[in-house]
Amino acid sequence: MARETLEVLIRERSELAAGVLGLELAAPDGGALPAADPGAHIDLVLPSGLVRQFSLCSADGRAGTWRIAVLREPDGRGGSVEVHDALAVHTRVRVAGPRNRFPLLPAGDLLFIAGGIGITPLLPMLAEAERRGSRWRLVYGGRSRASMAFLPELARYGDRVTVVPQDEYGLLDLDGPLSGVPAGGRVYCCGPEPLLQAVQERCAALPRLTLHTERFAAAPSAAAPEGADTGFEAVLQRSGRSVPVPAGTSVLDALREAGVAVLASCEEGTCGTCETTVLEGTPEHRDSLLTPEERAAGDLMLICVSRSRGPRLVLDL
């Protein structure tokens, strides 16, 4: 479905760590923004028109507001630099969401593993795990202490949080923490792809645990099947339009070329911003986000990368 947006106000800016900007977002009329469960994110529509996804992290004592943390990436696609340089206090921007593709599910034992800015979706999970009475630990790695956001907030949890700056201790020890999680435990991991791959490999040998991940980039296994890229027709149910999608062109790009406005952020099948309901037809999934159950159901697709198995898809657009 098309994403509805709402206007928010930048109420505060703060430096959370070297290169990490914290923004507090509030309703312009002073009301409360929608509540969000741990793991939720928003899609931020920047002044340039770029759309970027950011996890929400709790702001203690600020009910009805949202907080995001943005790592400046000079060699990225431009969104983080624009956030740092263009979003001053009192700036108004539009957002879609919140949505949650990384929910905290019930478990008596939890292990959280964060790499760098991957701490952001995990931070509110810790508070929720405390509220639920779960047994939990956090292992948090980064390049240096100066680059690691939220260390003062995490200090209140004492020795349940292990902080591992790489310049002091080297890479994270994953085997020790994972071996200590009993059967039925859940592992939540967010960070760069090498960390996710390392955790996935270890959890594959530990079937007693359930792993949940959130990615910044497409998984290596999400490549297009060889020889499967053929053209098809995308029918937009709500507008009554039909848009041809040629071979070599994504659904998203075909819609843009036809003048159809659709929110999208990563454009590589990881964030879910362009997630669209499929009313008819069978999608060919090439994303790194949907669960096996969601893929089998066939009623959702990420139109930035996924295609059609047949000559026609009917979308809720």
Side-chain angles (χ1 to χ4, degrees):
M1 296 181 64
R3 302 290 179 195
E4 299 295 332
T5 63
L6 63 115
E7 188 176 62
V8 299
L9 178 75
I10 309 292
R11 189 160 82 177
E12 285 186 12
R13 282 175 56 109
S14 59
E15 184 178 357
L16 299 176
V20 181
L21 173 67
L23 294 179
E24 185 175 295
L25 312 178
D29 63 2
L33 293 174
D37 292 328
H41 65 266
I42 56 171
D43 299 302
L44 187 65
V45 184
L46 298 172
S48 67
L50 289 176
V51 180
R52 292 293 182 264
Q53 178 188 54
F54 298 105
S55 297
L56 295 176
C57 28
S58 59
D60 292 342
R62 300 294 186 94
T65 65
W66 294 334
R67 181 176 62 169
I68 61 173
V70 183
L71 172 66
R72 187 184 186 98
E73 299 183 86
D75 298 325
R77 296 182 297 142
S80 68
V81 172
E82 184 175 356
V83 170
H84 277 248
D85 293 349
L87 298 190
V89 174
H90 303 311
T91 301
R92 296 189 180 207
V93 291
R94 299 201 70 82
V95 301
R99 295 182 293 120
N100 199 342
R101 301 288 318 193
F102 192 45
L104 181 64
L105 300 177
D109 293 274
L110 294 161
L111 174 64
F112 301 101
I113 303 173
I117 199 64
I119 187 63
T120 52
L122 303 183
L123 195 68
M125 292 186 180
L126 307 184
E128 179 63 14
E130 282 282 274
R131 189 189 69 78
R132 294 180 183 179
S134 299
R135 294 174 295 275
W136 65 268
R137 285 189 62 194
L138 166 68
V139 181
Y140 177 19
R143 295 187 305 277
S144 66
R145 289 183 190 274
S147 71
M148 299 171 72
F150 305 116
L151 292 183
E153 293 184 35
L154 292 170
R156 70 174 180 263
Y157 293 121
D159 60 7
R160 281 179 294 174
V161 173
T162 303
V163 176
V164 187
Q166 187 173 346
D167 62 349
E168 297 178 32
Y169 302 107
L171 297 176
L172 287 176
D173 167 29
L174 299 175
D175 295 314
L178 286 168
S179 67
V181 183
R186 296 185 185 274
V187 179
Y188 283 82
C189 181
C190 185
E193 188 60 32
L195 174 64
L196 295 176
Q197 287 291 316
V199 173
Q200 284 181 321
E201 289 170 7
R202 286 163 172 78
C203 286
L206 298 170
R208 71 179 191 277
L209 306 180
T210 301
L211 173 63
H212 306 266
T213 60
E214 185 160 69
R215 294 189 129 78
F216 300 146
S221 61
E226 183 140 354
D229 194 354
T230 59
F232 59 95
E233 176 187 26
V235 178
L236 313 185
Q237 178 72 20
R238 282 189 271 160
S239 64
R241 298 184 60 184
S242 179
V243 177
V245 182
T249 300
S250 69
V251 178
L252 177 64
D253 284 341
L255 295 182
R256 284 172 170 168
E257 290 171 11
V260 180
V262 182
L263 283 183
S265 178
C266 72
E267 300 191 24
E268 54 184 19
T270 62
C271 74
T273 300
C274 69
E275 182 181 286
T276 302
T277 299
V278 179
L279 301 175
E280 293 180 31
T282 304
E284 178 187 272
H285 297 291
R286 300 183 183 180
D287 64 273
S288 303
L289 182 68
L290 296 182
T291 66
E293 294 77 15
E294 288 171 326
R295 289 174 176 236
D299 56 358
L300 293 173
M301 69 181 292
L302 272 60
I303 61 173
C304 63
V305 292
S306 297
R307 302 185 65 77
S308 176
R309 291 188 179 275
R312 185 172 180 267
L313 280 179
V314 180
L315 306 176
D316 186 19
L317 291 170

